[in-house]
Amino acid sequence: MVEPYTNYESPSPNIHEIAQDFRRLGWFGFWVQSILGIIPIFLLIFVLFLRPASPSNPQNSALGLVLGYGCLFALIFTLYWCFRYSQIGNQLEDPNQRPAKAEVIHALWLGITANLIGMACVILVGFLMVGSLLYRMLTLPPGGSKLLTPLPGTTVLNAGSIITPFNLIAMQAMVNAMAAELAGIAVSLWLLSRVSSHQSK
């Protein structure tokens, strides 16, 4: 039978500390992921739902779309899950609502898994994008290696440019998304170590 956190009438110091960790790190992870994930989330919504389809865009391939949706849903879910950690902290403080130890550990592993899935999707999208840009660069004719070619008298880039501002924004979004997922993994692992150390006592 699973033993809940209900061994004492009032919360023990260890449980109180763990509850505080869940609240503090839950909110910390929520805000860090919000700040880092705002660009990737809006960019993914634009690419997946608003941007016109283009055969030259690697994100519009079947694999790119699947990975793009995976990134979007994983970011949104992990953002919510960090907020969920703060709610678990509140439940741990209340003897009448304390979840079982196994439930808390299961929630932490679910957060770790979701962040790993999100990071894997981001890395695979990055491989697709960088591979596509590299292929386009390697297939340039001799003398066509200039990456950014502004038209005279304008700030508009030549349609034949290899790297466009959108490509740079997308790469920045991928770095932000990986950092957000990494923050979620770090928060979940730290909380898991705290819960595990309590179990060993």
Side-chain angles (χ1 to χ4, degrees), residues 19-37 78-87 115 179-191:
Q20 285 186 325
D21 286 340
F22 267 88
R23 282 199 302 271
R24 284 196 299 259
L25 291 177
W27 281 115
F28 172 79
F30 175 81
W31 286 113
V32 168
Q33 286 201 321
S34 295
I35 294 169
L36 291 172
T78 55
L79 189 63
Y80 161 75
W81 209 245
C82 277
F83 171 75
R84 173 75 180 132
Y85 289 157
S86 69
Q87 301 304 301
N115 280 286
E181 302 293 7
L182 184 60
I185 292 171
V187 166
S188 299
L189 287 175
W190 175 257
L191 291 174

Side-chain angles (χ1 to χ4, degrees), residues 85-177:
Y85 289 157
S86 69
Q87 301 304 301
I88 292 175
N90 292 333
Q91 292 174 358
L92 289 173
E93 291 279 19
D94 186 349
N96 298 320
Q97 295 184 2
R98 269 181 210 148
K101 294 179 182 179
E103 291 178 20
V104 176
I105 292 174
H106 179 265
L108 291 169
W109 276 112
L110 183 58
I112 292 170
T113 303
N115 280 286
L116 287 173
I117 290 172
M119 183 171 285
C121 290
V122 172
I123 291 172
L124 290 174
V125 168
F127 281 144
L128 285 176
M129 178 175 292
V130 173
S132 173
L133 293 175
L134 179 61
Y135 173 78
R136 284 156 60 186
M137 181 181 292
L138 293 176
T139 55
L140 281 175
S145 60
K146 198 170 186 180
L147 300 183
L148 294 175
T149 54
L151 296 176
T154 70
T155 58
V156 179
L157 294 178
N158 190 326
S161 298
I162 299 300
I163 297 178
T164 65
F166 182 84
N167 296 136
L168 298 178
I169 293 171
M171 290 180 184
Q172 179 65 58
M174 286 188 298
V175 173
N176 282 25

